[in-house]
Amino acid sequence: MKMADKSESSTNSDTPTNQDELILAQQRKIQQEISDTIPLVGPLDQISSLESEYSTDTIYLAKIKDLSSKYKSIRRTRPDGNCFFRAFGYAYIEKLLDDKEQFSLFYDLVEKSKNSLVALGFPQFTVEDFYDTFMEVLKRINDIDDASDAKKELHNLFNEQGYSDYMVVYLRLLTSGQLQKEQIFYSFFIDGERTVADFCHQEVEPMYKESDHIHIMGACSVLLTGVRVVYMDRGGNTSVTEHNIPQDRLTPDVYLLYRPGHYDILYL
Amino acid sequence: MAGSAVRRLLAEYKQLTLNPPEGIIAGPIDEDNFFEWEALITGPEGTCFEGGVFPAKLIFPRDYPLSPPKMQFTCEMFHPNIYSDGRVCISILHAPGDDPMGYESSAERWSPVQSVEKILLSVVSMLAEPNDESGANVDAAKMWRENRDEFNKIAERIVRRTLGIPA
């Protein structure tokens, strides 16, 4: 009798959870359908192209005007939760291609980074594929003499999902490693009782997790660069707000436009 | 994308074959299809599942290891974290945010640096120490909490069945 009860009620108790999973699966599918129509990294567009997204919103239109007085163009990225890392990686490498010397310093830094990650406790075995892909991309563009051809190749590789996603994973791992290495400092930026390691395992290392200020700090710090984030939302006045990371670095290598939930690349 | 998934799965298969964790065997069912694996998990010693050999299937997505596999026991199971159809419900099989059971914030989650081995080891710990707060099987969770003797009896019967011994 007891067994009969069991099998009957457990069928019932499974139903609501299965529903939840179905809803999650559907949400994922819808998000995927939206994001698949947008290239991983798009072409250069005029800042004014943003206007069509906000044609009836006077606050945004005023801010776009302000933005276009400071920046010349925008390059959109796919809103899949990886946009910060994809935009950051693309824009930084693109900038380095204008300066062979800087590029080769960066190359050396990344080349040595796998051992640092392994020393921090990352399993060599699972880090390797992402590292190898990152190095392969750097090698391929480094082998091209002409900077504008190299940039074209960078653009192609960043739009090939296999390469692009593995680049993103490796940037996530480097960032995670940096946060954990400096965990006392970064623990002040984490709400609640999570440790820096827990935060990294849950918010930095997994794909599709959106990035916050702390991710940008970690990424800039490990790759010795600076980012300027230009915030554009419906709050405040008619101008966009700019913020340098790290704060004391006044000449950033990368400019990103942040609209709530999403990063795109900006060009001066 | 599927190419890098196969490369990674092949490497994991090699690793698991060369250095198998104790009590675990896993590999592709058919070497022409690396996206479907079978695993055999031995019930951990000193637990009510001791001595059992539990078969399970692992199904990998095309973007593995960016996304986690799914795992399902193919034998009868009665456990707080296993659905009655055998699907395993533990945090490491879910990316953060993908949260059917409301896992604790400190729970281990899927990320591309996890591995099949990590999953299987988590499943072994899950067999040893059920988490009765995230009940995939509410009845099993309730019985685990309130009537451990009865739970142990059912587990013992399942163990015997996996070994082909009549109950």
Side-chain angles (χ1 to χ4, degrees), chain A:
Chain A
M1 187 57 213
K2 205 148 201 171
M3 290 310 292
D5 278 343
K6 178 204 90 104
S7 63
E8 206 183 299
S9 64
S10 66
T11 324
N12 289 338
S13 67
D14 273 0
T15 317
T17 315
N18 287 344
Q19 289 275 333
D20 286 348
E21 288 204 340
L22 285 175
I23 291 168
L24 274 173
Q26 176 140 29
Q27 278 174 348
R28 268 195 299 264
K29 196 168 161 249
I30 293 169
Q31 277 167 355
Q32 179 111 27
E33 279 170 8
I34 296 170
S35 79
D36 284 356
T37 61
I38 300 169
L40 291 166
V41 183
L44 273 184
D45 286 322
Q46 306 265 316
I47 298 291
S48 59
S49 70
L50 285 165
E51 285 168 6
S52 63
E53 296 176 40
Y54 302 99
S55 53
T56 57
D57 190 322
T58 49
I59 295 175
Y60 265 108
L61 289 176
K63 291 195 176 184
I64 292 167
K65 202 171 166 204
D66 179 49
L67 187 70
S68 62
S69 72
K70 296 168 174 147
Y71 297 91
K72 210 187 288 167
S73 34
I74 177 173
R75 193 189 288 283
R76 289 175 172 78
T77 64
R78 182 181 291 178
D80 63 356
N82 295 314
C83 54
F84 162 69
F85 285 103
R86 216 181 305 269
F88 169 76
Y90 183 102
Y92 186 37
I93 298 172
E94 186 185 34
K95 151 111 190 183
L96 290 170
L97 285 171
D98 289 328
D99 185 337
K100 282 272 171 199
E101 205 172 311
Q102 288 293 320
F103 184 90
S104 84
L105 287 174
F106 174 75
Y107 188 99
D108 292 345
L109 180 74
V110 178
E111 196 168 36
K112 290 184 191 122
S113 63
K114 186 181 78 179
N115 291 340
S116 326
L117 287 180
V118 173
L120 280 166
F122 284 81
Q124 163 138 12
F125 163 66
T126 45
V127 165
E128 210 135 59
D129 276 356
F130 308 112
Y131 169 79
D132 289 347
T133 301
F134 203 101
M135 289 311 295
E136 185 192 332
V137 168
L138 293 188
K139 273 185 202 126
R140 279 173 67 166
I141 52 176
N142 194 33
D143 285 345
I144 301 170
D145 286 330
D146 181 68
S148 78
D149 287 344
K151 285 179 186 176
K152 267 182 214 145
E153 178 70 354
L154 178 74
H155 190 79
N156 292 339
L157 292 172
F158 259 90
N159 277 298
E160 256 185 58
Q161 189 115 35
Y163 282 103
S164 200
D165 283 348
Y166 272 43
M167 301 281 286
V168 166
V169 172
Y170 198 64
L171 288 169
R172 285 179 175 278
L173 299 182
L174 287 174
T175 303
S176 166
Q178 185 67 17
L179 299 186
Q180 294 184 67
K181 207 164 111 192
E182 309 282 344
Q183 53 176 301
I184 296 174
F185 173 70
Y186 288 109
S187 66
F188 296 110
F189 296 87
I190 295 171
D191 291 334
E193 289 179 12
R194 273 195 282 187
T195 63
V196 172
D198 282 345
F199 179 85
C200 288
H201 299 330
Q202 293 160 11
E203 308 290 340
V204 185
E205 292 163 18
M207 281 295 271
Y208 318 114
K209 286 297 282 183
E210 287 178 14
S211 297
D212 230 318
H213 196 84
I214 182 171
H215 298 74
I216 306 178
M217 286 165 60
C220 287
S221 166
V222 67
L223 295 177
L224 308 173
T225 179
V227 167
R228 178 171 297 166
V229 182
V230 183
Y231 294 88
M232 189 164 80
D233 58 25
R234 300 199 80 254
N237 44 30
T238 54
S239 58
V240 292
T241 317
E242 296 179 299
H243 195 92
N244 291 330
I245 300 171
Q247 246 170 357
D248 53 5
R249 180 160 170 152
L250 302 176
T251 51
D253 290 319
V254 170
Y255 298 85
L256 299 176
L257 174 65
Y258 179 78
R259 288 175 284 167
H262 186 63
Y263 295 90
D264 294 302
I265 306 167
L266 289 172
Y267 294 85
L268 285 174

Side-chain angles (χ1 to χ4, degrees), chain B residues 39-44 48-56 71 73-77 127 155 158-159 162:
Chain B
L40 289 173
I41 295 173
T42 315
C48 59
F49 294 102
E50 176 170 352
V53 179
F54 306 100
M71 182 169 173
F73 281 99
T74 52
C75 62
E76 184 195 346
M77 273 303 208
L127 290 177
I158 290 171
V159 166
T162 68

